Amino acid sequence: MEKLKKYVSVKDEDHFYHQGAVELLIFNFLLILTILTIWLFKTHRFRFLHETGGAMLYGLVMGLIIEYATKSSDVESGTVYECEKLKSGPSTLLINITNQVYEYQYKGQISHHNVNGHHGNAMLQKMTFDPSIFFNILLPPIIFHAGYSLKKRHFFRNLGSILTYAFLGTAISCLVIGLIMYGFVKAMVHIGQLKQWEFHFTDCLFFGSLMSATDPVTVLAIFHELHVDTDLYTLLFGESVLNDAVAIVLTHSISIYSPKENPNAFDAAAFFQSAGNFLGIFAGSFAMGSSYAVVTALISFMHLTKFTKLCEFPMLETGLFFLLSWSAFLSAEAAGLTGIVAVLFCGVTQAHYTYNNLSPDSKMRTKQLFEFMNFLAENVIFCYMGLALFTFQNHIFNPLFIFGAFVAVFVARASNIYPLSFLLNLGRKQKIPRNFQHMMMFSGLRGAIAFALAIRDTESQPKQMMFTTALLIVFFTVWVFGGGTTPMLTWLQIRVGVDPDEDLKAKAASQSASNLDKNTTKAESAWLFRIWYGFDHKYLKPILTHAGPPLTTTLPEWCNPVARLLTSPSAYGDPLKDGDTDYIINNDELTENYESSAHVAVPAQDSTGSIQATGKEDIQEGDLGLGGYKLQLQHTAGQPQMNSLA
Amino acid sequence: MEKLKKYVSVKDEDHFYHQGAVELLIFNFLLILTILTIWLFKTHRFRFLHETGGAMLYGLVMGLIIEYATKSSDVESGTVYECEKLKSGPSTLLINITNQVYEYQYKGQISHHNVNGHHGNAMLQKMTFDPSIFFNILLPPIIFHAGYSLKKRHFFRNLGSILTYAFLGTAISCLVIGLIMYGFVKAMVHIGQLKQWEFHFTDCLFFGSLMSATDPVTVLAIFHELHVDTDLYTLLFGESVLNDAVAIVLTHSISIYSPKENPNAFDAAAFFQSAGNFLGIFAGSFAMGSSYAVVTALISFMHLTKFTKLCEFPMLETGLFFLLSWSAFLSAEAAGLTGIVAVLFCGVTQAHYTYNNLSPDSKMRTKQLFEFMNFLAENVIFCYMGLALFTFQNHIFNPLFIFGAFVAVFVARASNIYPLSFLLNLGRKQKIPRNFQHMMMFSGLRGAIAFALAIRDTESQPKQMMFTTALLIVFFTVWVFGGGTTPMLTWLQIRVGVDPDEDLKAKAASQSASNLDKNTTKAESAWLFRIWYGFDHKYLKPILTHAGPPLTTTLPEWCNPVARLLTSPSAYGDPLKDGDTDYIINNDELTENYESSAHVAVPAQDSTGSIQATGKEDIQEGDLGLGGYKLQLQHTAGQPQMNSLA
């Protein structure tokens, strides 16, 4: 049984090739316009509209033009062929039409109510590209770049706070948005705007999790330009990077959470399954990402006798680095984990180990390559967001839902930042001041990740409503908050023009002077990081990089044959290469060597000048801390020196 | 009326995401293997198998594994749904199956005989990606890189010969292959292997044109490594770059050539239409490519009073450069021209003008970026060629056709190189020696372009037979000829370890000593290039770049206001920046300034040391020649010096 309706369309192979070129050309044109605008803004020091806002604006205008200037080519679209004999949609469909066989490829399932939403404007359909492109092509370079360019010293100094904001904060934000939205949905059902069965509490939580991914790219760009206080920058950057990862995994876990019976009731089994899922996926992705980076580090470090070192071929080195990092993403995706999380930790690990092994040429090449890819991908995403407002065919604008979402997003941000800052300040030596908290509250922009998560599924009506709302929130926050960053900084009297290195010294000095009594009582809470740092420094760094002490000195004596095999010849040849190699510590001494005192908080390069040889990144790893505590290996006179101040 | 057959397939959104990741992962894995192999080969100086050959080998093995290790997932595939009521295939098909609407996207038309060729192995189907990816994604960076890295000095020295080989040679090659293949096809029809109506003479010519695209990437890589004689290198490189462009446009023109009545008879009108088409497309693409490059040069050159120069933002500069170059490709495609040709000439023009305006940072960035993209794209293509032997579903191996094609390709190469070299040697002062001719004959490998042209259309049986044959010829030539390059060089006693600059001096000296009498009589034939060079140097270079004399000195006096507006301030400020700026020539003097003498053939940097400031490329533009004639602007003492030796 089949009902056929006529479907008019002109098509040939060549037409399709050209069509693809036209779409890409439109994007290129938008990007070129954006770049020219950035240039204009940079020369005139405009800060009221950031490049991302500009890209979005151009996208919007282009979307408007396409929507109204191009004519709908398929007159009778939205017709459905009914094939009741088929059980499911095949991946490829061969259709015989007037004795010619046409091949069709499965694209996706469509809800009945969306069928008429397809206007049949071929141009519009073409411009609305596959959401998987976001996740597989555009996001990975952005996230990798974030991990690769992480300023480790400042990041580790504030690690405790960053982890709190990222994990606890995102969970709070998700829950608060979910609850508020559930209230609004109930109200909407009450006044008859919505049917009860359409919107479950899990849907509200889903919306909460995707709206919890903050993306203060605009704010951070301005911070970077103005050299805003480093701690504030690091807190925001670290939070937003990790928070993306958390939000992505959280969204996935919530979408899996499916209580057996009543979808609105709480099902403990399903909840714990989702929670376990969250932890499993997060840990798995972390492991996948870091292991690829470790493999890269090992390959780039290899010093087999019959091989020229890889670093003599910068092109091969860069290629391998790029491909292995991308493979981390793809492997995680293929294994059902979260590629974005994997690629983030891959980036961090690459920067920590592999970067030290690369040739100077490759160091620059990889940095520039990922910087460039990040730049392009970011602008494409923001252009596309602008376009999507007009080219996406199934928008559902529900004023009450949108209003609710705005309220929810701000309340959630507030209940993330202020209570957590209060709690963190109880433990932090160097408090997060009020104006920093306000600035963090203000910087809760929503951007690429929220958009990408929302566009991933736009089949059902609740999801379409969410997508439309998410898009509007992105627009609003990027334009209003992004544009208001500079006035806000002035208004909150936040320091600008800060030199990161000077800043660290000054703060450490002032803080250790005023908090001498707390040093030893609080030092214990950093034990985890002390153990990790010791392990990393004594075993991982020597195995994976040319830096660090030779393994022969760090491993027990009976391991010497193995150690000698694994140690890079350069580790012996240049004992001063790493700042810490000139002094050997064993496990018992380790605790005494980690101290937070005014003396050691001065960056490592002041004591032994030779460590500059291993590059700036290496120096930055010299100190490592949790919250306000400085963990610093000392090496003043080649002898372990104990100066506990308590 | 509809005939339905069951089609079994399991599918969901997530599955599709992961599937994409797996395919990409396989490619990544192949590329990583290839890179590691290159590393191995480079350290051991293996030259019997080049990286491209290695990539192909890995692809082949992977294709074998996929073909035999993965099971066919769709059991009953190749079923066709008959919809007699539809007039043509719509671009999107909505199908209602058991009350769920599925969306299908138009992929292409399929011949009836191919229907059963679809094994239904989902993995295989996924790995055989869209041919448009070759043309729109993988080829442009390779071709652009070729244009951008063209060694202009040597290229222009041999321009006449290169153009002859590229245009006339490709036409000869196409015709010879077409004729030989037509003979074989006739023979095949005679012995009953083929039906007469399947294979027209135009099909043979089509095959001839696509097999005429030589791609001696392997040979050139080895030449580059061994520093083989520069003239030979330039002849081969120049020929292969332009020949690709010619072959692509030729293939397009032949596919358009459709005689009205008997397809085997000669139709003068259709022939001239095709010939006109060829010229139009070639010229149009050339214009499109160069104009985008000129726009880039203008933007990067802009010195508006209120604007910071673009070169102070290397990231924006690189981005703009990249996007405009890509737009050249896309615009040409969108306008129905040939994007590959546009992007080639865009690359050449970018190198000639824009490169001089870029900041040192961007110069490096753009070079490294395109080098990297070229490296990746090339290896992806060669891996894919290996894969295609097993994953392509509709191979037609016809031994006689394959044998014929091998014969035809070698005969065609011989009738391209030897007769044209003989003709060129009549005019060239510096002859192309016998061993060079043999080496050029030997270097006629077929590679990416031939493959991409063949895979573009594999619908009909003749096209499938061509594709299979082309693939085998690519395998054979890359492995056998690519691997045999080093022994062949030794056997033909071709000089290796040549320094390009020294070489040029030495040759010029010996040749002008022996051919003094010919200098003046032959110099006139270069009039076209002399005019172009003068125009370029006096007007285009000053308008588009920071190099060259100020326009105020080259334009007539009444143009001064305009000239002053267009001239870069740096052109006045640093009069010695360009090797030629210290002396002004007008049109009358121009002829006398172009001389081919032993004295001026010495590279420009010997006379005025200051020009090194403008970068190496700039120096290379100092001399410009046709065939064996050197055209050289003199600037010995800041005064035009006439030393005609005749």
Side-chain angles (χ1 to χ4, degrees):
Chain A
M1 288 295 113
E2 171 111 336
K3 216 163 67 190
L4 278 184
K5 291 176 198 163
K6 216 178 64 190
Y7 199 113
V8 185
S9 152
V10 187
K11 160 183 1 67
D12 65 273
E13 277 297 315
D14 260 22
H15 175 72
F16 267 69
Y17 283 116
H18 297 168
Q19 191 73 5
V22 171
E23 295 147 45
L24 284 172
L25 199 58
I26 289 175
F27 270 101
N28 269 16
F29 176 67
L30 284 176
L31 289 175
I32 290 166
L33 259 182
T34 307
I35 288 179
L36 292 177
T37 314
I38 300 171
W39 179 24
L40 179 78
F41 283 10
K42 286 212 170 176
T43 46
H44 291 274
R45 300 187 189 285
F46 288 158
R47 288 207 184 86
F48 64 89
L49 183 63
H50 185 67
E51 53 188 83
T52 49
M56 237 155 68
L57 197 64
Y58 286 127
L60 202 74
V61 172
M62 182 58 82
L64 206 65
I65 294 172
I66 295 174
E67 171 82 14
Y68 293 104
T70 66
K71 278 288 141 214
S72 161
S73 55
D74 297 338
V75 187
E76 291 182 58
S77 65
T79 51
V80 182
Y81 300 88
E82 282 171 25
C83 290
E84 280 149 14
K85 282 185 189 167
L86 268 174
K87 290 281 164 282
S88 68
S91 60
T92 314
L93 201 65
L94 301 178
I95 294 187
N96 190 345
I97 301 163
T98 56
N99 249 338
Q100 287 189 310
V101 183
Y102 294 97
E103 189 176 3
Y104 282 83
Q105 207 169 21
Y106 179 80
K107 217 181 147 194
Q109 200 179 325
I110 286 184
S111 301
H112 285 276
H113 64 94
N114 291 339
V115 167
N116 294 316
H118 286 257
H119 300 327
N121 184 331
M123 195 66 205
L124 277 185
Q125 274 176 26
K126 283 273 169 186
M127 293 304 289
T128 340
F129 57 69
D130 196 341
S132 73
I133 290 178
F134 279 105
F135 269 89
N136 292 327
I137 313 282
L138 294 172
L139 280 187
I142 296 179
I143 304 287
F144 183 87
H145 180 71
Y148 197 53
S149 65
L150 197 76
K151 292 214 168 46
K152 275 174 288 165
R153 180 161 48 147
H154 293 96
F155 181 75
F156 282 111
R157 259 189 100 229
N158 293 294
L159 189 63
S161 309
I162 289 170
L163 289 177
T164 311
Y165 285 126
F167 281 84
L168 203 56
T170 308
I172 291 174
S173 167
C174 168
L175 203 65
V176 169
I177 296 179
L179 285 171
I180 295 177
M181 288 322 291
Y182 194 59
F184 271 91
V185 165
K186 282 270 179 208
M188 282 156 73
V189 171
H190 193 71
I191 62 168
Q193 277 202 3
L194 210 67
K195 290 185 202 103
Q196 171 70 49
W197 52 264
E198 280 183 326
F199 232 110
H200 306 305
F201 183 59
T202 46
D203 290 320
C204 294
L205 272 184
F206 180 83
F207 183 69
S209 65
L210 74 87
M211 286 318 297
S212 297
T214 60
D215 179 19
V217 55
T218 319
V219 177
L220 289 176
I222 293 171
F223 278 23
H224 188 76
E225 218 170 282
L226 295 176
H227 296 285
V228 166
D229 188 282
T230 329
D231 273 314
L232 179 58
Y233 181 89
T234 312
L235 280 177
L236 260 180
F237 183 76
E239 186 223 339
S240 73
V241 163
L242 283 181
N243 147 300
D244 288 348
V246 174
I248 289 171
V249 182
L250 202 58
T251 309
H252 185 73
S253 302
I254 289 172
S255 70
I256 283 175
Y257 173 79
S258 48
K260 293 285 180 307
E261 288 147 37
N262 181 356
N264 282 318
F266 179 78
D267 182 333
F271 173 78
F272 282 112
Q273 200 191 331
S274 277
N277 211 293
F278 174 84
L279 291 177
I281 287 178
F282 204 93
S285 307
F286 175 87
M288 183 74 85
S290 352
S291 49
Y292 267 96
V294 165
V295 168
T296 320
L298 277 176
I299 291 175
S300 64
F301 171 65
M302 276 218 278
H303 47 94
L304 301 175
T305 40
K306 286 196 173 177
F307 266 81
T308 321
K309 279 213 193 98
L310 188 61
C311 62
E312 291 183 22
F313 309 108
M315 174 62 89
L316 299 185
E317 211 178 6
T318 311
L320 207 61
F321 187 92
F322 173 80
L323 290 171
L324 279 168
S325 303
W326 195 19
S327 296
F329 172 83
L330 293 171
S331 302
E333 284 290 305
L337 302 168
T338 308
I340 302 285
V341 178
V343 90
L344 169 65
F345 291 108
C346 180
V348 174
T349 317
Q350 296 279 35
H352 194 61
Y353 298 115
T354 317
Y355 188 80
N356 293 313
N357 298 341
L358 296 179
S359 61
D361 195 14
S362 292
K363 280 185 186 175
M364 211 184 45
R365 273 172 189 248
T366 52
K367 274 201 162 178
Q368 290 185 347
L369 180 69
F370 287 110
E371 199 186 334
F372 182 69
M373 285 169 66
N374 172 60
F375 175 77
L376 276 192
E378 212 169 80
N379 282 305
V380 169
I381 289 188
F382 279 91
C383 276
Y384 187 76
M385 284 200 257
L387 266 177
L389 192 63
F390 289 102
T391 58
F392 182 69
Q393 322 243 327
N394 300 306
H395 278 301
I396 298 183
F397 291 95
N398 185 320
L400 197 58
F401 189 82
I402 292 166
F403 174 73
F406 269 89
V407 171
V409 162
F410 297 120
V411 172
R413 183 76 186 163
S415 40
N416 166 0
I417 298 297
Y418 295 118
L420 288 184
S421 301
F422 176 76
L423 285 178
L424 286 169
N425 275 345
L426 292 181
R428 277 176 75 104
K429 252 199 319 263
Q430 190 214 317
K431 308 291 182 206
I432 302 166
R434 270 279 154 196
N435 58 351
F436 279 25
Q437 296 178 25
H438 294 318
M439 196 66 220
M440 287 185 75
M441 168 76 205
F442 186 80
S443 307
L445 312 194
R446 303 307 192 273
I449 307 279
F451 175 79
L453 285 171
I455 206 180
R456 203 163 186 176
D457 180 6
T458 55
E459 264 317 307
S460 66
Q461 269 175 325
K463 294 285 160 68
Q464 285 165 7
M465 206 188 280
M466 287 180 200
F467 175 67
T468 307
T469 310
L471 196 56
L472 289 177
I473 290 178
V474 170
F475 279 120
F476 182 82
T477 54
V478 167
W479 281 336
V480 176
F481 292 179
T485 306
T486 321
M488 201 65 177
L489 281 172
T490 321
W491 194 65
L492 291 173
Q493 297 181 305
I494 288 171
R495 293 192 306 153
V496 294
V498 177
D499 176 44
D501 291 327
E502 287 301 316
D503 190 37
L504 201 66
K505 274 193 233 178
K507 276 191 189 159
S510 73
Q511 142 203 335
S512 53
S514 60
N515 295 311
L516 280 180
D517 52 330
K518 284 190 184 174
N519 277 348
T520 41
T521 50
K522 290 282 176 187
E524 283 90 85
S525 66
W527 60 271
L528 184 68
F529 290 93
R530 237 182 291 162
I531 290 171
W532 159 248
Y533 182 75
F535 181 72
D536 179 47
H537 179 75
K538 283 171 67 188
Y539 306 110
L540 293 183
K541 280 237 160 176
I543 290 174
L544 297 173
T545 74
H546 295 296
L551 275 178
T552 39
T553 56
T554 53
L555 281 177
E557 239 176 69
W558 57 268
C559 296
N560 262 354
V562 182
R564 220 169 283 132
L565 200 71
L566 288 170
T567 304
S568 156
S570 67
Y572 302 109
D574 186 4
L576 285 174
K577 203 172 179 187
D578 186 84
D580 306 308
T581 46
D582 51 341
Y583 111 139
I584 303 136
I585 41 171
N586 57 43
N587 262 325
D588 300 320
E589 291 172 325
L590 193 65
T591 323
E592 297 157 330
N593 289 319
Y594 290 110
E595 311 242 320
S596 62
S597 72
H599 181 75
V600 293
V602 176
Q605 62 268 44
D606 293 21
S607 37
T608 50
S610 60
I611 62 158
Q612 265 94 343
T614 52
K616 209 185 167 193
E617 291 300 306
D618 223 48
I619 296 166
Q620 296 189 350
E621 292 157 31
D623 72 332
L624 190 116
L626 172 67
Y629 310 104
K630 239 129 273 93
L631 294 178
Q632 178 78 37
L633 266 170
Q634 266 180 271
H635 39 76
T636 31
Q639 267 290 86
Q641 204 180 2
M642 290 164 56
N643 56 344
S644 56
L645 293 154
Chain B
M1 289 294 112
E2 170 114 331
K3 217 164 68 190
L4 277 183
K5 289 176 198 163
K6 215 178 62 191
Y7 200 111
V8 185
S9 152
V10 188
K11 158 183 8 67
D12 64 271
E13 278 296 314
D14 259 23
H15 175 72
F16 266 68
Y17 283 116
H18 297 167
Q19 191 74 4
V22 171
E23 294 148 45
L24 284 172
L25 200 58
I26 289 175
F27 269 101
N28 269 16
F29 175 67
L30 285 177
L31 290 175
I32 291 166
L33 259 183
T34 308
I35 289 179
L36 292 177
T37 314
I38 300 171
W39 180 23
L40 179 80
F41 283 10
K42 285 212 173 177
T43 45
H44 290 275
R45 298 185 191 286
F46 288 157
R47 288 207 186 85
F48 64 89
L49 182 64
H50 185 66
E51 52 187 82
T52 49
M56 234 153 71
L57 198 63
Y58 286 127
L60 202 74
V61 172
M62 182 58 81
L64 207 66
I65 293 172
I66 295 175
E67 169 85 12
Y68 292 104
T70 66
K71 278 288 141 215
S72 161
S73 56
D74 297 338
V75 187
E76 291 180 59
S77 65
T79 51
V80 183
Y81 300 88
E82 282 172 24
C83 291
E84 278 150 16
K85 282 183 189 168
L86 268 174
K87 289 283 163 281
S88 68
S91 60
T92 312
L93 202 64
L94 300 178
I95 293 187
N96 189 344
I97 300 163
T98 57
N99 250 338
Q100 288 190 307
V101 183
Y102 294 96
E103 189 176 3
Y104 282 83
Q105 206 169 22
Y106 179 81
K107 218 179 146 193
Q109 200 179 325
I110 287 184
S111 302
H112 285 276
H113 65 93
N114 290 339
V115 168
N116 294 316
H118 286 256
H119 301 326
N121 185 329
M123 195 66 205
L124 277 184
Q125 274 176 26
K126 284 275 170 183
M127 294 304 289
T128 340
F129 58 71
D130 196 340
S132 73
I133 290 178
F134 279 104
F135 270 88
N136 291 328
I137 313 282
L138 293 172
L139 279 187
I142 296 180
I143 304 287
F144 183 87
H145 180 73
Y148 197 54
S149 63
L150 197 76
K151 293 218 166 44
K152 276 174 287 165
R153 179 163 47 150
H154 294 95
F155 180 75
F156 283 112
R157 261 188 100 227
N158 293 294
L159 190 62
S161 308
I162 289 170
L163 288 177
T164 311
Y165 285 126
F167 281 85
L168 203 56
T170 307
I172 290 174
S173 167
C174 168
L175 203 67
V176 169
I177 296 179
L179 285 170
I180 294 178
M181 288 323 290
Y182 194 59
F184 271 91
V185 164
K186 283 268 179 208
M188 282 154 73
V189 171
H190 193 74
I191 62 168
Q193 277 201 1
L194 210 66
K195 290 183 201 104
Q196 171 71 49
W197 51 263
E198 280 184 327
F199 232 109
H200 305 305
F201 182 58
T202 47
D203 290 320
C204 294
L205 272 184
F206 179 84
F207 183 69
S209 66
L210 73 89
M211 286 317 298
S212 296
T214 59
D215 178 17
V217 54
T218 318
V219 176
L220 289 177
I222 293 171
F223 277 24
H224 188 75
E225 217 169 284
L226 295 177
H227 295 283
V228 166
D229 187 283
T230 329
D231 273 315
L232 179 58
Y233 181 88
T234 310
L235 280 177
L236 259 180
F237 183 75
E239 186 224 341
S240 72
V241 163
L242 284 181
N243 147 298
D244 288 348
V246 174
I248 289 171
V249 182
L250 202 57
T251 309
H252 185 73
S253 303
I254 289 172
S255 69
I256 283 174
Y257 172 80
S258 49
K260 292 285 179 307
E261 288 147 36
N262 180 356
N264 282 317
F266 180 77
D267 181 335
F271 173 79
F272 282 112
Q273 199 191 331
S274 277
N277 210 293
F278 174 86
L279 290 176
I281 287 179
F282 203 92
S285 307
F286 175 86
M288 184 73 86
S290 352
S291 49
Y292 268 96
V294 165
V295 168
T296 319
L298 277 176
I299 291 176
S300 63
F301 170 64
M302 275 217 281
H303 46 94
L304 301 175
T305 41
K306 287 197 173 175
F307 266 81
T308 321
K309 279 213 193 99
L310 188 61
C311 63
E312 291 183 22
F313 310 108
M315 175 61 88
L316 298 185
E317 209 178 8
T318 312
L320 207 62
F321 187 93
F322 173 81
L323 290 171
L324 279 168
S325 302
W326 195 20
S327 296
F329 172 83
L330 293 171
S331 304
E333 285 289 306
L337 302 168
T338 308
I340 301 286
V341 178
V343 90
L344 168 66
F345 291 107
C346 180
V348 174
T349 318
Q350 296 279 35
H352 195 62
Y353 298 116
T354 316
Y355 189 80
N356 293 314
N357 298 341
L358 296 179
S359 61
D361 194 15
S362 292
K363 280 185 186 175
M364 211 185 45
R365 274 171 189 250
T366 51
K367 272 201 164 180
Q368 290 186 347
L369 180 69
F370 287 110
E371 199 185 335
F372 182 70
M373 287 168 66
N374 172 60
F375 174 78
L376 276 191
E378 212 170 81
N379 282 306
V380 169
I381 290 189
F382 278 92
C383 275
Y384 187 76
M385 284 200 258
L387 267 177
L389 192 61
F390 289 102
T391 58
F392 182 70
Q393 323 242 325
N394 300 306
H395 277 302
I396 298 183
F397 292 93
N398 184 320
L400 197 57
F401 190 82
I402 292 166
F403 174 72
F406 269 89
V407 171
V409 163
F410 298 120
V411 172
R413 183 79 186 161
S415 41
N416 167 359
I417 298 297
Y418 295 118
L420 288 184
S421 301
F422 175 76
L423 285 177
L424 286 168
N425 275 343
L426 293 181
R428 275 178 76 104
K429 253 199 320 262
Q430 191 215 316
K431 309 291 181 206
I432 302 166
R434 269 281 153 193
N435 58 351
F436 279 24
Q437 296 178 27
H438 294 319
M439 196 65 219
M440 288 185 74
M441 168 76 204
F442 185 79
S443 308
L445 312 194
R446 303 308 192 273
I449 307 279
F451 175 79
L453 284 171
I455 207 179
R456 204 164 184 174
D457 180 6
T458 55
E459 263 318 306
S460 66
Q461 270 176 324
K463 294 286 160 68
Q464 285 165 6
M465 205 187 278
M466 285 180 200
F467 175 68
T468 307
T469 310
L471 197 56
L472 289 177
I473 289 178
V474 170
F475 279 122
F476 181 81
T477 54
V478 168
W479 281 336
V480 175
F481 291 179
T485 306
T486 320
M488 200 64 177
L489 281 173
T490 321
W491 194 63
L492 290 173
Q493 297 181 306
I494 289 170
R495 293 192 308 151
V496 293
V498 177
D499 176 45
D501 291 327
E502 288 300 316
D503 189 38
L504 203 66
K505 275 193 232 178
K507 277 190 187 160
S510 72
Q511 140 202 338
S512 54
S514 60
N515 296 310
L516 280 182
D517 53 328
K518 284 188 183 175
N519 278 346
T520 41
T521 51
K522 290 282 176 185
E524 284 91 86
S525 66
W527 60 272
L528 183 67
F529 288 93
R530 238 180 291 162
I531 290 171
W532 158 249
Y533 181 77
F535 181 72
D536 178 48
H537 179 74
K538 283 170 68 188
Y539 306 110
L540 292 182
K541 279 237 162 178
I543 290 174
L544 297 173
T545 74
H546 295 294
L551 276 177
T552 41
T553 56
T554 53
L555 282 176
E557 239 175 70
W558 58 268
C559 295
N560 262 355
V562 181
R564 221 169 282 132
L565 199 72
L566 287 170
T567 304
S568 158
S570 66
Y572 303 108
D574 186 5
L576 284 174
K577 204 174 177 188
D578 186 84
D580 306 307
T581 47
D582 51 342
Y583 110 138
I584 302 133
I585 40 172
N586 59 43
N587 262 325
D588 299 321
E589 290 172 327
L590 192 66
T591 322
E592 296 157 331
N593 290 318
Y594 289 110
E595 310 240 320
S596 62
S597 73
H599 179 75
V600 293
V602 176
Q605 62 265 44
D606 292 26
S607 38
T608 50
S610 60
I611 59 158
Q612 264 96 342
T614 51
K616 209 182 168 194
E617 292 300 306
D618 224 47
I619 296 165
Q620 295 188 352
E621 291 157 34
D623 73 331
L624 190 117
L626 171 67
Y629 310 104
K630 239 132 270 94
L631 294 179
Q632 178 78 38
L633 267 170
Q634 268 182 267
H635 40 77
T636 31
Q639 267 290 87
Q641 204 181 1
M642 289 164 56
N643 57 344
S644 57
L645 294 155

